[in-house]
Amino acid sequence: MSDDILTDDDGLPAGAARNRRQVLYWRLLARLFDHDEQPALENASMAVVGDLGLPAALLDPSVSVDTLVQRFPELADEFRNLLAPGEDVPGDEVRRAALVSKLLLNVFGTGTGDVTATQLAAWQQDAGWLTQALGACGAQGGAPGGAPGGAPSGAPGAAAGSGGPGTGAGAGSGSGPGGGPGAGYGPGTGYGESGRELSKVLADLEADLVRRMRLREVLADPALAKRLTPSMSLVEQLLRDKANLSGVALANAKALIRRFVDEVAEVLRTQVAKASAGVIDRSIPPKRVFRNLDVERTVWKNLVNYNPEDQRLYVDRLYYRRTAKRTVPARMIVVVDQSGSMVDAMVNCTILASIFAGLPKVDVHLIAYDTRALDLTPWVHDPFEVLLRTQLGGGTDGTAALALAQPKVADPRNTVVVWISDFYEWNCDAVFAGMEALHRSGVRIIPVGSVNSGGQQSVNPWFRQKLKNLGAPVISGHIRKLVLELKNFLA
């Protein structure tokens, strides 16, 4: 490609700008589909970037956005809200195209080779920069998605875009938002369906990077293991491979799972803490103690006794606030399908179950199932132990879970069953019949198809319609939906 591509035939600045943008975007497409450099495009792009006064590192896919911002802090504000809706500033189109190309290449040009812990950490940081460029405040939920917080600062390494190991380009600054644990990625809820689709794409990319890691080798090296940022994809791989780990590798795997569980639990605990402890029981007279004295009501009711001559209010009756609440013990039975497709919902819901188990007057039971069912209630207070005892994969037979759950229902009106599954059962009729029987007895049934930031989950359409007709529609989306349902039941 000759240099005259950078100029327009009629010499108009607008035409020149268009040509320069095309050079940058053609280079982006070429590198996304073929990781070998195209000399003509590379040289032309280097000339464009140089004319803009931007660093040459902007074109190096082995340099993460986080590292770039550390070296050139003035670029940080330009990357933020780079892709957010708004009016374009005339004259900035080419500069914007250069920054957009860098961001998209680093996030989507993940290659096909092995991935190191350094590269995974850098990619997570770059994915965080992408969500911020779209105008979102880090991972959805904020932290939500209310999502748990971003990746730890100072994540070292280079982007995974180089497609091979050993391409680290120094330590990151931690100035960019990372992909938060348990939250997935994606713009805020204002982006609707497109935001959910992007969240799923980024989660799939991360899962692919994790699969391409030589995870056992990384875990066996404490220095490399410390560079890993806990995420849902990583936890899933650790749970699948835990039987093949031992010694230092197993200890490092457990430490990563524990970190992930603690970080997600911290966010969920904040949401659950807002749950009502019950409604005021007005059948119980107020306790006549000073801390319950209703001063405003007492003054108002005794205003008729005010004596203007001596300017005194004579009180002949005290009024007290009612504080007693109806706290009938509630039983929560959480049934978890431990097939691999449900790992995100399983992790979130086992953590949520442990949090509710810590509340007063809530009796929580936990059952995991595939073709067999396992009662995990003795470990319900420790989701870390629960996750270590689960076995991802296998078939799905909800009748085994029903056999364990039904005897636990002592008071149907004060019992809620949270059933987490994609409901692709081998005996759908029998499982639905059991759930319908529980519902008709007075048990509150809350079926959950997915509870994560993306809300992407395939649910058996036959089951979805049946449960909707029963008056118990399947919950999919952010875990806040499930928290709200449980709060309403316990109030």
Side-chain angles (χ1 to χ4, degrees), residues 3-192:
D3 290 341
D4 60 4
I5 193 173
L6 301 180
T7 62
D8 189 69
D9 291 338
D10 56 13
L12 294 176
R18 182 185 65 246
N19 288 342
R20 293 185 176 204
R21 289 199 310 272
Q22 288 177 347
V23 166
L24 294 170
Y25 287 136
W26 275 114
R27 174 188 176 271
L28 170 63
L29 291 173
R31 293 299 296 264
L32 286 175
F33 291 101
D34 184 355
H35 294 281
D36 293 333
E37 293 185 1
Q38 301 293 325
L41 288 173
E42 293 295 330
N43 292 336
S45 298
M46 187 65 71
V48 173
V49 168
D51 288 345
L52 293 172
L54 291 170
L58 194 73
L59 297 176
D60 187 350
S62 69
V63 178
S64 70
V65 175
D66 215 44
T67 299
L68 190 68
V69 168
Q70 180 192 26
R71 297 175 183 175
F72 307 96
E74 65 276 8
L75 294 179
D77 288 338
E78 293 191 64
F79 275 111
R80 294 190 179 96
N81 297 318
L82 180 64
L83 299 172
E87 295 184 2
D88 293 333
V89 179
D92 287 349
E93 298 92 342
V94 180
R95 188 179 184 90
R96 183 171 181 269
L99 297 175
V100 168
S101 296
K102 171 64 176 176
L103 196 56
L104 295 182
L105 180 58
N106 275 30
V107 173
F108 296 103
T110 55
T112 57
D114 291 339
V115 176
T116 66
T118 295
Q119 291 172 319
L120 176 63
W123 182 90
Q124 289 171 326
Q125 293 284 354
D126 287 339
W129 276 108
L130 177 60
T131 62
Q132 198 172 45
L134 285 162
C137 298
Q140 188 184 34
S153 63
S162 57
T167 56
S173 65
S175 56
Y185 304 93
T189 54
Y191 287 82

Side-chain angles (χ1 to χ4, degrees), residues 48-324:
V48 173
V49 168
D51 288 345
L52 293 172
L54 291 170
L58 194 73
L59 297 176
D60 187 350
S62 69
V63 178
S64 70
V65 175
D66 215 44
T67 299
L68 190 68
V69 168
Q70 180 192 26
R71 297 175 183 175
F72 307 96
E74 65 276 8
L75 294 179
D77 288 338
E78 293 191 64
F79 275 111
R80 294 190 179 96
N81 297 318
L82 180 64
L83 299 172
E87 295 184 2
D88 293 333
V89 179
D92 287 349
E93 298 92 342
V94 180
R95 188 179 184 90
R96 183 171 181 269
L99 297 175
V100 168
S101 296
K102 171 64 176 176
L103 196 56
L104 295 182
L105 180 58
N106 275 30
V107 173
F108 296 103
T110 55
T112 57
D114 291 339
V115 176
T116 66
T118 295
Q119 291 172 319
L120 176 63
W123 182 90
Q124 289 171 326
Q125 293 284 354
D126 287 339
W129 276 108
L130 177 60
T131 62
Q132 198 172 45
L134 285 162
C137 298
Q140 188 184 34
S153 63
S162 57
T167 56
S173 65
S175 56
Y185 304 93
T189 54
Y191 287 82
E193 186 63 31
S194 61
R196 288 190 290 273
E197 290 177 0
L198 175 62
S199 178
K200 184 178 185 303
V201 169
L202 293 179
D204 289 344
L205 282 173
E206 183 186 51
D208 178 64
L209 291 171
V210 171
R211 283 192 295 269
R212 286 156 49 193
M213 289 181 67
R214 295 181 178 179
L215 199 53
R216 297 177 194 175
E217 296 177 15
V218 172
L219 291 172
D221 186 335
L224 291 177
K226 286 182 181 179
R227 296 183 181 183
L228 291 174
T229 300
S231 65
M232 187 67 74
S233 298
L234 182 59
V235 167
E236 178 178 356
Q237 288 299 103
L238 294 175
L239 292 176
R240 289 183 184 279
D241 203 36
K242 64 180 185 292
N244 300 314
L245 302 176
S246 61
V248 174
L250 181 59
N252 286 330
K254 289 183 176 180
L256 284 166
I257 296 173
R258 174 70 76 179
R259 277 175 57 195
F260 182 82
V261 166
D262 290 345
E263 290 170 0
V264 176
E266 185 64 28
V267 174
L268 295 183
R269 194 174 291 112
T270 301
Q271 297 181 17
V272 175
K274 301 174 183 178
S276 172
V279 296
I280 299 296
D281 189 351
R282 300 194 177 277
S283 66
I284 300 177
K287 193 172 183 180
R288 298 176 180 275
V289 295
F290 179 74
R291 68 173 179 271
N292 291 343
L293 180 64
D294 189 339
V295 177
E296 291 185 3
R297 190 176 179 214
T298 296
V299 171
W300 177 257
K301 290 290 188 180
N302 286 280
L303 280 177
V304 294
N305 299 325
Y306 177 71
N307 188 336
E309 294 181 1
D310 55 13
Q311 295 186 345
R312 290 188 177 184
L313 178 67
Y314 294 92
V315 177
D316 60 8
R317 182 178 177 183
L318 297 175
Y319 292 84
Y320 296 87
R321 298 185 183 90
R322 298 174 186 269
T323 57

Side-chain angles (χ1 to χ4, degrees), residues 133 174 189-190 195 211 231 296-297 318 326 334 390 398 418 426 431 439 468 489:
T189 54
R211 283 192 295 269
S231 65
E296 291 185 3
R297 190 176 179 214
L318 297 175
R326 185 178 292 109
V334 181
T390 57
V418 180
W426 75 273
V431 175
H439 175 77
K468 182 178 180 180
F489 174 78

Side-chain angles (χ1 to χ4, degrees), residues 309-380:
E309 294 181 1
D310 55 13
Q311 295 186 345
R312 290 188 177 184
L313 178 67
Y314 294 92
V315 177
D316 60 8
R317 182 178 177 183
L318 297 175
Y319 292 84
Y320 296 87
R321 298 185 183 90
R322 298 174 186 269
T323 57
K325 295 183 179 181
R326 185 178 292 109
T327 53
V328 178
R331 174 162 292 185
M332 182 189 304
I333 303 172
V334 181
V335 180
V336 180
D337 172 359
Q338 60 180 351
S339 62
S341 62
M342 294 303 300
V343 65
D344 50 358
M346 181 186 70
V347 171
N348 279 303
C349 290
T350 51
I351 294 172
L352 194 62
S354 72
I355 295 171
F356 275 98
L359 298 179
K361 303 296 184 180
V362 182
D363 179 24
V364 180
H365 295 253
L366 182 61
I367 297 170
Y369 76 98
D370 42 35
T371 54
R372 297 176 299 176
L374 179 64
D375 191 347
L376 297 171
T377 302
W379 301 279
V380 71

